[in-house]
Amino acid sequence: SLGRPRPGGTRGFQVLMSQCLLSHRFALRHLRTDTHVKPRQASPQQALPIMVSANGATIACGVVAALSVLAALPMLMGNADVIPESLKEGTIVDKKGALKAMDPDLLVHFARSVGHEIFIFVTCVVASVANNRCALLAKFLTCGMLLSAGWHHAWGNENEVIGQVVLATVLGYFGFIRSGLTLPSTTWGKHAIACTLEACLMGAVALGLLSGSAEALPPALKSLNLGAVQSMGKDLGLAALSVLAGALDNNAPTLCKFLPVGIMVSAWSHAMMDDMQGAKLNSCFALGFAILGFGFPPPETGGKKAQQAEGDPLS
């Protein structure tokens, strides 16, 4: 009796096998359907413009930072070769009625001062590049570069005019055309308020220098010519625009970590020209921003949403 098959055993086995085959075919059809449908749901053509626009502004600002730091490093060492000749003239007239060349020591201090202003500008741009928040910065730098080009044209520096116009064109394309005109929604915390006040202070000093007043300069730079004084105001104004863009684009927490590096370089430059009062003041500013950047957490909301809305070319 043990060797006999049970009645209906073969039939039951066939039914079981047919059910397994049907389940297997249904699973294969479901797998094929999911495989074909999922790529259609996540179309890469819809997300591509936002990604390209954000990367374009970031790359453009990164190129500006790289070119600027290459110009700033030699000037920090006292090399004035990259400074236009029209800015190297002195204020003393010789017997023939021509302006004498700038005093060598004054030229070194001037080059180092311009170098530390450009270095502050670089640190602000790098802070925005590090967080991929360059859409608003590209807009601000476009305006700044065009004003800088106009200033260089007034002083006859044609090579600088061409370079500034090219940079302004690239930044304007990625800042206004690819990134759209939507402004970010700023979260006003400790970091944003501090950076905004710093930008306003830098902007006020820059406007005074652009007007030709040398009152804000240390004693070693008081005898600079008008063009040299205005050039320092122009570079400081670009740095102020970069700080303001970082504050408005919710990048102030990162900016507070990068900005002390540039300000400490400025303190070193002031110390090299025996301006210890300016060196101490800048050291205090650097310490304050370092405490804000590393000692206080950033705000929890606002930044990510603002950057996505700004980088959307359809908005």
Side-chain angles (χ1 to χ4, degrees):
S1 62
L2 294 176
R4 294 180 181 179
R6 294 181 180 178
T10 306
R11 180 64 179 172
F13 179 75
Q14 291 177 354
V15 171
L16 179 63
M17 289 299 296
S18 63
Q19 291 178 352
C20 291
L21 289 174
L22 289 174
S23 300
H24 182 64
R25 291 176 182 176
F26 178 76
L28 287 178
R29 289 180 182 178
H30 184 68
L31 180 61
R32 292 174 182 176
T33 304
D34 290 346
T35 305
H36 290 289
V37 170
K38 286 183 179 180
R40 294 177 183 176
Q41 293 177 352
S43 177
Q45 296 180 357
Q46 297 178 359
L48 185 60
I50 298 177
M51 180 180 64
V52 172
S53 63
N55 288 341
T58 302
I59 293 173
C61 292
V63 171
V64 171
L67 294 176
S68 299
V69 77
L70 290 177
L73 291 178
M75 286 191 285
L76 286 173
M77 298 297 103
N79 189 339
D81 292 340
V82 296
I83 297 177
E85 295 297 328
S86 60
L87 306 180
K88 299 179 184 179
E89 297 178 351
T91 57
I92 302 176
V93 181
D94 58 11
K95 296 180 180 180
K96 297 181 180 180
L99 290 174
K100 293 183 178 180
M102 188 180 295
D103 181 75
D105 293 335
L106 179 60
L107 183 60
V108 170
H109 292 325
F110 172 54
R112 190 176 288 121
S113 299
V114 175
H116 81 241
E117 289 182 347
I118 297 178
F119 193 83
I120 293 176
F121 165 74
V122 170
T123 56
C124 299
V125 175
V126 169
S128 296
V129 171
N131 266 358
N132 197 21
R133 295 181 180 270
C134 296
L136 183 62
L137 177 62
K139 294 179 176 67
F140 279 29
L141 289 185
T142 300
C143 301
M145 291 293 179
L146 289 176
L147 293 175
S148 176
W151 182 88
H152 278 290
H153 177 71
W155 283 92
N157 306 323
E158 298 302 328
N159 293 332
E160 285 73 13
V161 172
I162 296 174
Q164 301 285 319
V165 170
V166 171
L167 291 177
T169 303
V170 175
L171 291 169
Y173 172 75
F174 289 110
F176 288 98
I177 298 178
R178 297 296 298 174
S179 299
L181 300 177
T182 304
L183 296 178
S185 177
T186 306
T187 301
W188 292 105
K190 302 180 182 67
H191 307 84
I193 294 175
C195 290
T196 302
L197 292 176
E198 174 69 9
C200 293
L201 180 61
M202 295 169 64
V205 176
L207 289 176
L209 294 174
L210 284 170
S211 67
S213 175
E215 294 296 328
L217 295 179
L221 302 176
K222 294 287 187 182
S223 58
L224 288 174
N225 60 59
L226 177 61
V229 173
Q230 290 183 344
S231 69
M232 295 184 65
K234 171 184 65 67
D235 295 329
L236 187 61
L238 289 174
L241 288 176
S242 302
V243 176
L244 183 60
L248 295 179
D249 203 10
N250 298 295
N251 196 42
T254 304
L255 186 59
C256 288
K257 297 177 182 179
F258 282 78
L259 196 55
V261 179
I263 298 179
M264 284 305 299
V265 172
S266 174
W268 168 81
S269 176
H270 280 276
M272 292 297 293
M273 65 180 76
D274 296 328
D275 180 24
M276 301 310 299
Q277 183 178 359
K280 294 177 182 178
L281 181 61
N282 285 338
S283 299
C284 292
F285 274 103
L287 179 61
F289 278 106
I291 293 174
L292 275 176
F294 294 97
F296 291 89
E300 295 181 357
T301 59
K304 186 175 181 180
K305 182 178 179 181
Q307 182 66 12
Q308 289 178 352
E310 183 184 356
D312 189 356
L314 300 178
S315 59

